[in-house]
Amino acid sequence: MANTPVRDRSTIMVLNGPNLNLLGRRQPEIYGTDTLADIEKLVAVTAAPHGLTTDCRQSNHEGQLIDWIHEAREHHAAVIINPAGYSHTSVALRDALATCDGLPIVEVHISNIHQRETFRHHSYVSALANGVIAGCGVQGYAFAVERVAALLAAAKA
């Protein structure tokens, strides 16, 4: 008998893409002064009243993000992802998310990508996401957790 993975219906995987490890230091006029650690605290605090936990990860490497998406599809309740620059370039990241078989996915961008350079206006992830939050600063991550909580609650009902 095959070993069937067990999905944790209470943990949200929160993925952050390239250069987001530099939040708080990199272009604060665009991204603000909050750090990645601040975002990780924010999502954990936002998730807790819903009985949810978060599993936060960041990588500058596309393949690592893809491996984590594959892990999430087997073991997590949902994915919140800020693909950063990969939003606009990575068909491979999009294809990995397409394997998530009904898992709620919410895309987050700290800045409003539609007010920035033209090449940032398109995201390969958006068509697969249950929601896209852009331009709300780090508060967008809290909005994403709230949206995931609502989607998970609706799926249980």
Side-chain angles (χ1 to χ4, degrees), residues 63-107:
Q64 180 63 74
L65 292 165
I66 290 168
D67 288 344
W68 288 336
I69 291 167
H70 292 173
E71 180 182 338
R73 77 181 286 273
E74 299 290 338
H75 300 289
H76 290 73
V79 174
I80 293 172
I81 184 167
N82 182 340
Y86 289 138
S87 307
H88 325 293
T89 63
S90 182
V91 172
L93 199 64
R94 179 247 176 253
D95 288 350
L97 288 165
T99 71
C100 286
D101 303 328
L103 200 70
I105 299 167
V106 177
E107 179 181 8

Side-chain angles (χ1 to χ4, degrees), residues 4-112:
T4 305
V6 177
R7 184 178 283 171
D8 179 348
R9 304 283 182 192
S10 65
T11 301
I12 303 166
M13 183 171 281
V14 181
L15 296 176
N16 285 286
N19 301 308
L20 294 173
N21 57 307
L22 298 176
L23 285 173
R25 297 176 287 159
R26 174 183 167 241
Q27 296 177 288
E29 69 281 3
I30 295 174
Y31 301 108
T33 57
D34 290 303
T35 66
L36 191 57
D38 295 330
I39 290 169
E40 291 173 356
K41 289 176 193 167
L42 174 65
V43 295
V45 166
T46 307
H50 300 285
L52 299 169
T53 59
T54 55
D55 178 359
C56 299
R57 304 179 190 190
Q58 185 278 328
S59 181
N60 295 319
H61 304 281
E62 183 179 34
Q64 180 63 74
L65 292 165
I66 290 168
D67 288 344
W68 288 336
I69 291 167
H70 292 173
E71 180 182 338
R73 77 181 286 273
E74 299 290 338
H75 300 289
H76 290 73
V79 174
I80 293 172
I81 184 167
N82 182 340
Y86 289 138
S87 307
H88 325 293
T89 63
S90 182
V91 172
L93 199 64
R94 179 247 176 253
D95 288 350
L97 288 165
T99 71
C100 286
D101 303 328
L103 200 70
I105 299 167
V106 177
E107 179 181 8
V108 177
H109 296 281
I110 295 169
S111 68
N112 184 345

